[in-house]
Amino acid sequence: MTKLRYMTAGESHGKMLTAIIDGFPAGLKIDIAGVNAELTRRQGGAGRGGRMRIESDEVCFTAGLRNSVTTGNPIAFYISNNDHAAWQNYMDCGSCDTTRRKVTAVRPGHADLSGCLKYNHKDARNVLERASARETAARAAVGAVCKQLLSALGIEVYSKVVSVGGIPFLPPDGGAEISAAVSAARVNGDTLGGKISVYARNVKAGFGSHTQYDKKAEYLLMGCIGSIQGVKSVSVGLGEGYGAVLGSAAHDGIYLDNSGAKPRFYRKTNNAGGIEGGMTNGEELVINLTMKPIPTLMKPLDTVDIETLKPAAAAAERSDVSAVEACAVVAEAALAYALAELILERTGGDYMEEIITRYRDLP
């Protein structure tokens, strides 16, 4: 069995985003409309900018599927960037004008300056186009494919927006207070971050390992989620709350349920967030993350122009005011991919029937 892995490519205003998923098992019928539905979810939410009115994200699979069923070969797909039509004179892999649309007034909080210093670029356009959260459209599609694999095993991945700009999300009011805060930030040329929780239910125990640091479930799960653009903190279960409680209140008691065909261990609380000792413990996975405010501001912060080396106002690229709801969709995708990797590593198998059987037979 090949290890599950993926790679994306593409720039924000380039022709397209592309991805390859390697090590995906054969025999899974992919609901392509379902993948596109996840891309549509990623485009929504309060605070999204004008770019989302231009794009109509749809995945086009080019390899690894036959009659919509995975073959075991590498899966390849692309998502076209509609906005490339307005940028092709400045963003083309062949000949284009690199003297225009330059960004030298590097933005605080973005990859601009660090990327220019690392790669010796004189134009942050070469950095920001790839560092852009536009790349998460490809990640959302990868995660949507992995979600369908998990669904075949009876595993559900979902998320909740906890707060935006420090304001709790309240379903009864439809997030009206958050919408008002987003509108105010837009008027003021500012941006908002927020907090999200992402979950996976019906995950069996024993995925990950205590034996090495890089085999621990948190190593992969938190790393995948922490790598999402704009995410600055990740925690499991009670998370930072562990620092304020006694051990007697922090840890989850273990109980035995003998009512079924097999004895089942369970917990009445889930402060551990479904992970103990680097392994899933059979309870619901709970991963919490915080997304920082988007660093592109319409009222820019102070910076230094890397071309003139003089003080300047930071560049103002077209951007969102808030993308917390979109980040929640991407976090689901990241969790789905990481969990699929952990499960395939343990169950082995090159086609879905044997994976499903092996997962079902786990204690």
Side-chain angles (χ1 to χ4, degrees):
M1 185 204 69
T2 305
K3 178 181 173 65
L4 184 66
R5 57 182 180 169
Y6 79 94
M7 181 175 288
T8 70
E11 287 76 37
S12 181
H13 294 101
K15 190 172 183 179
M16 64 183 68
L17 300 169
T18 58
I20 294 177
I21 311 172
D22 189 37
F24 201 89
L28 181 67
K29 178 83 170 181
I30 298 297
D31 177 4
I32 296 175
V35 176
N36 286 329
E38 292 294 285
L39 294 179
T40 299
R41 286 182 64 216
R42 192 199 71 91
Q43 291 189 274
R48 295 293 259 156
R51 179 71 185 271
M52 293 303 101
R53 292 190 291 272
I54 297 171
E55 303 298 343
S56 53
D57 290 345
E58 289 189 4
V59 65
C60 180
F61 288 95
T62 59
L65 274 63
R66 187 178 185 206
N67 192 32
S68 299
V69 178
T70 60
T71 61
N73 300 325
I75 297 170
F77 64 79
Y78 69 83
I79 301 167
S80 295
N81 287 329
N82 293 339
D83 207 18
H84 177 64
W87 283 78
Q88 59 185 354
N89 291 335
Y90 321 106
M91 287 295 302
D92 192 88
C93 290
S95 298
C96 66
D97 184 356
T98 60
T99 66
R100 299 178 64 187
R101 303 280 185 133
K102 290 179 66 175
V103 175
T104 57
V106 290
R107 294 165 296 172
H110 214 293
D112 298 2
L113 179 57
S114 297
C116 285
L117 294 173
K118 176 178 175 64
Y119 292 104
N120 196 33
H121 290 311
K122 308 304 179 187
D123 178 2
R125 175 74 55 201
N126 292 333
V127 176
L128 67 89
E129 286 285 336
R130 178 60 183 166
S132 167
R134 175 66 185 155
E135 183 266 350
T136 64
R139 285 208 236 184
V142 170
V145 171
C146 292
K147 269 189 177 183
Q148 294 186 24
L149 185 154
L150 296 177
S151 179
L153 302 178
I155 297 170
E156 178 190 3
V157 174
Y158 66 102
S159 65
K160 294 178 182 178
V161 172
V162 177
S163 64
V164 176
I167 301 168
F169 179 79
L170 302 174
D173 73 356
E177 190 176 355
I178 288 174
S179 294
V182 168
S183 296
R186 190 186 303 277
V187 169
N188 293 325
D190 222 322
T191 59
L192 295 170
K195 295 186 176 183
I196 299 160
S197 291
V198 60
Y199 308 85
R201 69 168 58 112
N202 301 324
V203 179
K204 292 193 174 188
F207 296 105
S209 175
H210 66 285
T211 60
Q212 293 288 352
Y213 74 94
D214 58 348
K215 292 184 177 181
K216 291 178 180 287
E218 298 97 325
Y219 181 86
L220 183 58
L221 296 173
M222 297 176 75
C224 284
I225 291 174
S227 72
I228 298 169
Q229 289 87 330
V231 170
K232 297 298 283 186
S233 74
V234 185
S235 66
V236 179
L238 188 59
E240 64 182 17
Y242 275 117
V245 296
L246 295 170
S248 55
H251 303 297
D252 308 305
I254 301 173
Y255 303 88
L256 188 65
D257 178 5
N258 282 307
S259 62
K262 295 180 180 180
R264 183 181 71 88
F265 297 100
Y266 73 97
R267 295 151 179 81
K268 295 179 181 179
T269 58
N270 190 24
N271 290 333
I275 300 176
E276 290 176 312
M279 296 165 284
T280 60
N281 66 9
E283 300 297 326
E284 185 171 47
L285 289 181
V286 183
I287 312 291
N288 313 297
L289 57 142
T290 303
M291 182 186 188
K292 70 181 181 182
I294 293 166
T296 296
L297 304 175
M298 295 302 105
K299 290 185 178 178
L301 296 176
D302 293 341
T303 190
V304 174
D305 189 299
I306 60 172
E307 188 172 57
T308 66
L309 300 182
K310 293 182 179 179
E317 292 278 300
R318 178 180 58 199
S319 182
D320 300 326
V321 173
S322 178
V324 177
E325 291 174 74
C327 184
V329 177
V330 179
E332 290 177 25
L335 177 59
Y337 165 76
L339 190 53
E341 182 178 331
L342 285 171
I343 288 172
L344 291 175
E345 183 178 40
R346 184 180 179 195
T347 60
D350 295 306
Y351 58 94
M352 286 303 300
E353 290 89 344
E354 63 179 346
I355 292 166
I356 291 169
T357 298
R358 291 173 183 178
Y359 185 81
R360 183 194 61 207
D361 290 344
L362 291 172

